[in-house]
Amino acid sequence: MEIEELPSEEHEQILDVQVESSSSPILDPFVLSFKNLTYDVKVSSKTGFPFLWKKSSVSSETNTKSLLKGISGEAREGEIMAILGASGSGKSTLIDALANRISKHSLKGTITLNGEVLDSGLSKVISAYVMQDDLLFPMLTVEETLMFSAEFRLPRSVSKKKKRERVRALIDQLGLRNAAKTVIGDEGHRGVSGGERRRVSIGIDIIHDPILLFLDEPTSGLDSTSAFMVVKVLKRIAQSGSIVIMAIHQPSSRILGLIDRLIILSHGRTLYNDSPANLSRFFSDFGQPIPRNENPSEFALDLIRELEETPSVTQNLFEFNKSWKASSMDDTDGDDDIASNKRTTLPLKDAIGKSISRGKLVSRGGVNQSLSVPSFANPFYIEVMVLSKRLLTNSRRMPAKFAVRLGTITVTGIVLATMFWQLDNSPAGVQERLGCISISIATIFFNCITEVPTFIQERYIFMRETAYNAYRRSSYVLARSITHIPLLFNLALTLSLITFWTVGLAGGVTGFLFFFVTILAAFWAGSSFAAFISGLIPDVFLAFVSGIAIVSYFLFLCGFLVARDRLPKYWLWFHYISLIKYPYEAILQNEFLDPTECYVMGVQLFDQTALGSLPPPVKSELLTSMGRILGRNITSSTCLTTGKDILKLQGITELSKWNCVWVTVAWGFFFRILFYLTLLFGSQNKRK
């Protein structure tokens, strides 16, 4: 392994150009030990109809299910430990336990690194966890994906040139040189192969060269060749000075030859814990020899599945494993001195410091006496800049999403312009103005709900990256907000330009500017609301339906269909939290606050009534008679309804138009804060 020490303000070392495989022994290796790991969960068994409450007569019982039962073992630096078992055997649970993804209150037993218990903060810094699903931005190339990971994981004191060198070295280590310029791809865009995609997923989590690497079924869904290439890469990573622990379903014989230690589980218990090379001897001693030319792991899994049908026989294998392990240790008593020397480990602080000096943990400068290390490699503003650049790069290469939203707004604007072309100030014109404005605002919020699938897709990427402190949650929220502003600006400007002048809204240039600002504020509030919904409800369908339903309720109770003063008192609270209410009232005030405008003049009083069909002379006589009764002179030119009267009828008397805009903007910030809180408390990546 070639190392180059770089002088810098923080005296950090990074890998130079490549990491070479080496079969030479590692001095003072890291040793991850776990003893008597037990994990129980409560399972509620309910009978009866699912919509009945627990207080009903239907009984409800709570049972405890053991997912891990006293599992012990040891993983060493330079080796791959594989956890094998059928579905439901506890493979992923054990990986989560070792990776500190299970609450300490629920997990019993001890996990130590070089004899010292790992705290949560240090574990996040020196380890990485590769999920089973490949969660990547589809329109970034392999090289860009790894480079952005380097920007997150490697500190700013490491030059751009050195980061590129680290990425190129990692690309060679992962065997991705031919795919470096290819986009990741998704269902709608052709990209890299499944095996290459899996290796990229591994690469983004090892860019900082962690000491501990956990993988949940990295070969799942891959063909035999791709799976072998992935494990071969993991072997090189282990030999570079890492502890690699992975769950695996059914490895081929070639993959089995790359594994140093194998644990076979059945219903949360250890049935085998030794080198894969000893599998044949183990099952021969048990009385079930493995036939020649048969894959030992396949034979073991098939046999265990058969034994699981008879719990007593499985118990026999469990007991045999303990006795066989004890006898194997007795057989090696003559090598006690050699084994003792081999297992000597440095104190954790010294071991981490020595590992950093060899080029590991390239995102950290060192450790102090209390094993305290920086939680994040970069300051807040660097994270925001890198996240913003990545989001913009991915979005720019998917113009169809923006085009659809822009097309929807454009078509809506054209429909409104042709339906409400150059409205007059008649009573009918007033009603049409109210309808046009309410439809415009509602369209904005419905358009924003279309962001929900994108937010949820990114949410899973965010959860993977923040689980091990790639960046702060607040950095993502701010970057996501900043990158959305240009999009919202264009949408708001498009709708404003199409509708304001064609519909004939009031105010001239000043009125147009206020209309545009209000529309932009509505887009901001709607986008923030969509972000909150996607953070709160991780299911795309449920989040989408819930968002549309809530926006519909906002429209029902905003004051357009029923004025505030006529709403039932028990719905007033929803009226005040309606996001449509405030931009709707702001635009209405912009439209009707001109004191020189009159909206019902003289005989127009009879329009839209049964008296509207009377001849004009008769209407004039009626006005004269009404004037005599009221003691006023009412003629055909008398203004009977002003803009203030219309606003009063709509119940718009509490806030000024600018205050309505500020409230709309404040709602946007409020939902962004809620979005942050949902990410903070809803993405802990830990089992309870």
Side-chain angles (χ1 to χ4, degrees):
M1 184 170 62
E2 299 178 0
I3 306 294
E4 178 180 344
E5 182 169 332
L6 300 176
S8 69
E9 294 179 3
E10 298 180 22
H11 306 289
E12 299 192 330
Q13 298 82 23
I14 70 167
L15 288 176
D16 184 19
V17 177
Q18 71 181 47
V19 180
E20 298 177 350
S21 298
S22 175
S23 58
S24 58
I26 298 173
L27 301 178
D28 302 316
F30 285 100
V31 177
L32 181 71
S33 302
F34 47 98
K35 187 175 181 181
N36 295 327
L37 294 185
T38 301
Y39 177 51
D40 299 330
V41 295
K42 293 182 178 179
V43 181
S44 297
S45 56
K46 299 179 181 179
T47 57
F49 296 102
F51 53 80
L52 293 178
W53 294 89
K54 288 185 178 181
K55 292 182 179 180
S56 66
S57 58
V58 180
S59 62
S60 176
E61 298 179 356
T62 301
N63 300 319
T64 299
K65 181 179 180 180
S66 295
L67 301 184
L68 299 178
K69 303 175 183 177
I71 296 179
S72 300
E74 183 181 277
R76 301 176 64 82
E77 178 182 345
E79 298 180 351
I80 294 180
M81 171 184 279
I83 303 168
L84 183 67
S87 298
S89 62
K91 302 189 301 295
S92 297
T93 305
L94 180 55
I95 287 286
D96 286 347
L98 298 176
N100 192 38
R101 292 166 64 90
I102 297 179
S103 172
K104 291 182 179 179
H105 302 291
S106 303
L107 182 66
K108 299 176 182 178
T110 58
I111 302 174
T112 60
L113 184 63
N114 284 25
E116 300 181 34
V117 177
L118 269 178
D119 65 75
S120 178
L122 182 62
S123 176
K124 286 185 177 182
V125 170
I126 68 173
S127 63
Y129 185 96
V130 181
M131 296 181 179
Q132 185 173 346
D133 298 322
D134 299 320
L135 304 172
L136 305 166
F137 282 93
M139 299 312 295
L140 299 180
T141 66
V142 169
E143 188 173 26
E144 287 172 338
T145 300
L146 295 174
M147 191 64 199
F148 278 120
S149 181
E151 294 284 0
F152 293 134
R153 291 286 192 174
L154 308 187
R156 56 175 175 155
S157 57
V158 178
S159 67
K160 197 85 169 179
K161 179 182 177 182
K162 290 298 179 182
K163 290 177 181 176
R164 288 196 185 96
E165 288 176 355
R166 171 60 183 153
V167 168
R168 291 182 188 131
L170 188 59
I171 286 174
D172 290 336
Q173 186 181 11
L174 296 171
L176 294 170
R177 175 55 56 193
N178 293 333
K181 301 296 183 181
T182 306
V183 297
I184 300 299
D186 57 11
E187 296 83 359
H189 303 86
R190 187 176 180 84
V192 296
S193 67
E196 291 168 336
R197 190 182 180 94
R198 187 62 48 83
R199 279 177 270 160
V200 175
S201 295
I202 295 171
I204 59 178
D205 285 311
I206 65 168
I207 191 72
H208 63 305
D209 215 1
I211 294 170
L212 301 173
L213 177 60
F214 304 97
L215 306 100
D216 186 10
E217 298 198 23
T219 61
S220 177
L222 302 180
D223 58 70
S224 59
T225 302
S226 298
F228 176 72
M229 287 295 296
V230 168
V231 179
K232 196 172 180 181
V233 166
L234 296 178
K235 185 68 174 179
R236 290 201 295 266
I237 293 170
Q239 291 174 341
S240 72
S242 297
I243 298 174
V244 177
I245 303 176
M246 65 175 180
I248 195 166
H249 185 63
Q250 197 161 331
S252 64
S253 297
R254 290 196 302 168
I255 291 176
L256 208 60
L258 298 174
I259 296 170
D260 299 286
R261 182 166 293 276
L262 182 66
I263 294 180
I264 301 179
L265 300 180
S266 174
H267 296 304
R269 296 193 301 180
T270 304
L271 298 185
Y272 181 81
N273 184 357
D274 208 314
S275 169
N278 295 329
L279 265 177
S280 296
R281 182 162 65 91
F282 174 82
F283 282 103
S284 294
D285 293 347
F286 182 65
Q288 296 285 348
I290 300 176
R292 292 186 62 184
N293 301 324
E294 185 164 347
N295 184 337
S297 64
E298 291 183 3
F299 174 85
L301 283 179
D302 292 341
L303 177 62
I304 290 170
R305 286 194 187 98
E306 293 179 9
L307 298 180
E308 284 177 344
E309 297 177 0
T310 308
S312 59
V313 180
T314 309
Q315 179 66 25
N316 292 339
L317 182 58
F318 173 69
E319 297 296 340
F320 173 77
N321 172 61
K322 291 195 294 184
S323 60
W324 187 84
K325 191 71 176 174
S327 63
S328 298
M329 293 178 66
D330 292 339
D331 292 340
T332 59
D333 280 346
D335 299 326
D336 277 350
D337 293 337
I338 298 174
S340 177
N341 292 333
K342 183 179 179 182
R343 291 179 181 273
T344 300
T345 59
L346 288 174
L348 184 55
K349 180 179 74 70
D350 296 336
I352 293 177
K354 187 174 180 179
S355 184
I356 290 174
S357 70
R358 298 202 316 264
K360 303 293 287 183
L361 292 179
V362 294
S363 66
R364 311 297 172 192
V367 293
N368 57 27
Q369 295 297 324
S370 62
L371 287 179
S372 176
V373 292
S375 297
F376 300 95
N378 290 288
F380 175 77
Y381 73 93
I382 294 291
E383 294 175 351
V384 173
M385 291 171 58
V386 176
L387 282 166
S388 299
K389 182 180 178 182
R390 183 175 70 171
L391 289 168
L392 287 173
T393 301
N394 189 70
S395 299
R396 191 172 64 250
R397 294 176 184 171
M398 302 180 73
K401 289 186 176 181
F402 172 70
V404 169
R405 292 190 64 185
L406 184 63
T408 303
I409 290 296
T410 301
V411 171
T412 301
I414 293 172
V415 171
L416 292 175
T418 52
M419 283 179 61
F420 303 103
W421 181 267
Q422 294 297 309
L423 296 177
D424 55 27
N425 289 343
S426 66
V430 169
Q431 292 300 318
E432 289 166 357
R433 269 180 167 78
L434 297 177
C436 176
I437 293 170
S438 64
I439 292 172
S440 300
I441 302 299
T443 298
I444 291 171
F445 285 91
F446 284 119
N447 184 273
C448 288
I449 293 299
T450 60
E451 297 177 10
V452 165
T454 302
F455 273 124
I456 291 179
Q457 181 185 28
E458 290 180 8
R459 181 178 186 270
Y460 290 108
I461 299 176
F462 160 87
M463 289 176 63
R464 186 204 67 213
E465 293 177 334
T466 57
Y468 287 84
N469 290 7
Y471 49 81
R472 298 165 180 83
R473 291 170 173 84
S474 55
S475 301
Y476 172 77
V477 173
L478 182 58
R480 162 57 62 183
S481 303
I482 291 173
T483 55
H484 255 60
I485 290 176
L487 166 66
L488 302 180
F489 183 91
N490 288 327
L491 294 175
L493 185 62
T494 300
L495 183 61
S496 301
L497 288 173
I498 294 175
T499 57
F500 186 85
W501 305 107
T502 54
V503 173
L505 299 179
V509 175
T510 305
F512 170 78
L513 292 176
F514 180 84
F515 180 82
F516 165 71
V517 169
T518 306
I519 294 296
L520 180 59
F523 269 111
W524 162 251
S527 178
S528 300
F529 175 73
F532 166 64
I533 289 293
S534 64
L536 186 67
I537 308 173
D539 183 88
V540 174
F541 177 77
L542 293 179
F544 200 77
V545 172
S546 299
I548 291 176
I550 295 172
V551 170
S552 300
Y553 305 149
F554 285 161
L555 176 61
F556 297 161
L557 297 163
C558 71
F560 166 63
L561 297 176
V562 180
R564 184 195 69 208
D565 297 337
R566 293 181 57 81
L567 280 174
K569 291 184 179 180
Y570 47 81
W571 281 121
L572 279 177
W573 67 274
F574 205 100
H575 169 76
Y576 285 105
I577 67 171
S578 170
L579 297 183
I580 296 179
K581 162 186 166 65
Y582 298 98
Y584 173 68
E585 292 186 359
I587 295 177
L588 284 189
Q589 291 185 70
N590 189 57
E591 189 69 17
F592 294 115
L593 278 181
D594 188 349
T596 63
E597 294 291 341
C598 183
Y599 297 93
V600 177
M601 185 178 295
V603 295
Q604 287 182 332
L605 178 66
F606 304 113
D607 291 354
Q608 296 182 319
T609 69
L611 302 177
S613 60
L614 294 175
V618 176
K619 293 179 182 178
S620 297
E621 290 181 11
L622 286 174
L623 283 176
T624 303
S625 299
M626 291 171 62
R628 283 198 299 267
I629 295 172
L630 297 173
R632 291 181 56 187
N633 182 25
I634 302 178
T635 65
S636 297
S637 60
T638 302
C639 183
L640 300 177
T641 302
T642 63
K644 287 187 176 181
D645 297 324
I646 294 172
L647 294 176
K648 188 175 181 180
L649 287 172
Q650 292 293 312
I652 304 173
T653 57
E654 296 177 328
L655 296 173
S656 68
K657 66 177 187 179
W658 279 109
N659 283 340
C660 288
V661 173
W662 298 133
V663 170
T664 305
V665 173
W667 273 119
F669 282 106
F670 175 72
F671 280 112
R672 291 286 168 176
I673 294 172
L674 290 182
F675 177 47
Y676 167 73
L677 294 176
T678 59
L679 296 180
L680 182 63
F681 297 108
S683 57
Q684 297 297 321
N685 292 289
K686 275 196 175 186
R687 304 194 194 192
K688 296 181 180 180

